[in-house]
């Protein structure tokens, strides 16, 4: 029940009606029995600054950010975490004594299923360098420290990332944290790829082992990949029959390699179906969505543990997957 004491969380975007965040966050809030509610707030681009002032005035504790505000909000924040600056986007904002602080939990979301296979359903005991400093919510997280965690050794592993947009930047940051030996990004435009690579040169989180390639090198790269990640929208509903990788190229994937698609509907995607037929292990985008939300909720509620399994189940039911 929403009362006069209920604390506000939410998501801003334009449009925002499609957001799945309220379903998973309110399920977790109900399970925990805390006096919070998570609401969708439609905010037009020209109203973003006014919305931040209004949120502070009415005591909103924090909010998620979706398109088109992830980049536009950066200059409006009192502090921005190094990981958000490295990615160039904020997806989570919380209120501190210094004002609004922005960070990005997409890296945590991307990494979670890679670090705790099979999915455990609850928050991890270990705290990453990116998480450290968040639980006190006094200031933005400290700079990225690097290195793998969770007991897996990625130091000899090769990651191949399809696409060079905003999602790819979060995946590169995640692969760098894992400590991958090589990180390869594949795109269509040589100019865009060169710009993508340059982003990391003077980044708060430099990535020294990043290489970029055009699509005609994909078959060769797939044969080397221990981790193959699709960050493109190819294969997303309503074009679920499509795959970003032709069958012939995917034939070169090693049995046991991890194939990860950031798309969560359809579930599984054609890309993942094709990969599994070739002996690869598949991870879908639903888990990243759940885990990035869980990382944000830990910040807002100032807690080490949130019911990830409850959030996952709420989303699966919302999407009609159960």
């Amino acid at each position: 029940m929403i009362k006069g004491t209920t604390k506000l969380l939410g998501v801003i975007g334009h449009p925002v009606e499609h957001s799945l965040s309220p379903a998973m966050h309110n399920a977790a809030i109900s399970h925990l029995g805390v006096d919070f509610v998570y609401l969708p707030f439609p905010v037009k681009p020209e109203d973003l600054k006014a919305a931040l002032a209004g949120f502070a005035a009415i005591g909103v504790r924090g909010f998620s950010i979706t398109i088109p505000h992830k980049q536009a909000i950066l200059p409006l924040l009192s502090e921005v975490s190094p990981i958000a600056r490295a990615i160039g986007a904020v997806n989570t904002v919380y209120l501190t004594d210094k004002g609004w602080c922005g960070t990005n939990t997409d890296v945590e979301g991307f990494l979670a299923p890679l670090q705790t296979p099979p999915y455990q359903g609850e928050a991890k005991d270990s705290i990453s360098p990116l998480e450290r400093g968040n639980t006190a919510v006094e200031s933005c997280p400290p700079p990225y420290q690097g290195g793998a965690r969770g007991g897996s050794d990625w130091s000899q592993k090769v990651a191949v990332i399809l696409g060079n947009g905003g999602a790819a930047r979060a995946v590169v940051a995640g692969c760098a944290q894992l400590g991958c030996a090589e990180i390869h990004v594949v795109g269509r435009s040589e100019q865009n790829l060169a710009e993508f690579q340059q982003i990391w040169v003077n980044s708060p989180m430099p990535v020294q082992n990043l290489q970029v390639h055009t699509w005609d090198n994909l078959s060769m790269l797939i044969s080397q990949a221990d981790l193959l990640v699709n960050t493109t929208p190819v294969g997303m509903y309503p074009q679920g029959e499509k795959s970003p990788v032709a069958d012939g190229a995917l034939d070169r994937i090693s049995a046991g390699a991890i194939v990860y698609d950031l798309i969560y509907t359809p579930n599984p995607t054609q890309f993942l179906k094709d990969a599994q037929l070739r002996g690869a292990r598949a991870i879908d985008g639903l888990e990243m969505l759940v885990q990035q939300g869980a990382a944000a909720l830990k910040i807002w509620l100032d807690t080490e543990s949130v019911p990830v399994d409850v959030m996952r189940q709420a989303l699966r039911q919302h999407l009609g997957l159960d």
Side-chain angles (χ1 to χ4, degrees), residues 73-287:
I73 200 167
L74 284 163
L76 303 178
L77 300 172
S78 299
E79 293 188 73
V80 177
S81 70
I83 189 63
R85 289 205 180 279
I87 297 171
V90 166
N91 79 338
T92 301
V93 173
Y94 54 99
L95 194 61
T96 74
D97 55 358
K98 297 179 182 179
W100 292 115
C101 179
T103 189
N104 194 304
T105 63
D106 283 337
V107 175
E108 287 295 315
F110 168 72
L111 288 175
L114 294 173
Q115 295 169 323
T116 56
Y119 306 151
Q120 300 301 310
E122 293 295 332
K124 303 179 291 299
D125 290 332
S126 58
I127 302 177
S128 77
L130 299 181
E131 290 168 334
R132 205 173 294 127
N134 276 348
T135 52
V137 290
E138 293 174 349
S139 62
C140 282
Y144 164 81
Q145 303 296 323
R149 61 186 171 93
S152 297
D153 181 13
W154 288 81
S155 63
Q156 303 301 315
K157 305 296 186 182
V158 174
V160 176
I161 301 163
L162 308 179
N164 55 284
R169 291 172 68 163
V171 172
V172 166
C175 290
Q177 178 170 346
L178 286 173
C180 291
E182 300 176 23
I183 303 172
H184 301 273
V185 171
V186 184
R188 305 268 179 205
S189 164
E190 290 187 7
Q191 179 179 342
N192 290 346
L193 285 166
E195 292 173 356
F196 184 92
Q197 189 169 33
Q198 186 62 33
I199 286 169
W200 298 96
V201 174
N202 297 315
S203 167
M205 198 176 92
V207 179
Q208 307 297 336
N209 55 345
L210 173 66
Q211 301 177 49
V212 297
H213 310 264
T214 53
W215 216 256
D216 51 5
N217 292 318
L218 182 57
S219 291
M220 177 270 292
L221 292 168
I222 285 178
S223 67
Q224 303 173 16
D226 299 291
L227 172 64
L228 177 63
V229 186
N230 176 39
T231 72
T232 79
V234 178
M236 184 182 295
Y237 178 85
Q239 297 180 317
E241 74 287 352
K242 294 186 176 181
S243 171
V245 178
D247 283 350
L250 202 55
D251 284 341
R252 305 191 68 176
I253 193 74
S254 299
I258 298 173
V259 178
Y260 197 144
D261 199 335
L262 302 195
I263 294 171
Y264 52 82
T265 182
N267 189 295
T269 60
Q270 189 63 48
F271 175 52
L272 292 184
K273 290 179 185 176
D274 293 343
Q276 285 180 301
L277 287 174
R278 291 157 175 81
R281 293 177 288 166
I283 300 174
D284 65 70
L286 187 67
E287 192 64 14

Side-chain angles (χ1 to χ4, degrees), residues 9-12 21 24-25 38 52 55 60-67 69-71 73-74 77-85 87-96 99-109 130 134 137 139-141 288-302 311:
L9 301 170
V11 55
I12 65 170
S21 295
M24 67 174 174
H25 284 302
Y38 185 101
L52 288 185
F55 283 176
V60 171
R61 294 299 183 92
F63 53 93
S64 309
I65 306 170
T66 188
I67 295 171
H69 304 313
K70 286 189 172 187
Q71 292 80 38
I73 200 167
L74 284 163
L77 300 172
S78 299
E79 293 188 73
V80 177
S81 70
I83 189 63
R85 289 205 180 279
I87 297 171
V90 166
N91 79 338
T92 301
V93 173
Y94 54 99
L95 194 61
T96 74
W100 292 115
C101 179
T103 189
N104 194 304
T105 63
D106 283 337
V107 175
E108 287 295 315
L130 299 181
N134 276 348
V137 290
S139 62
C140 282
M288 178 174 173
L289 180 64
V290 171
Q291 296 286 354
Q292 64 80 28
L297 196 59
K298 286 191 287 184
I299 296 171
W300 296 323
L301 300 186
D302 189 14
M311 299 172 75

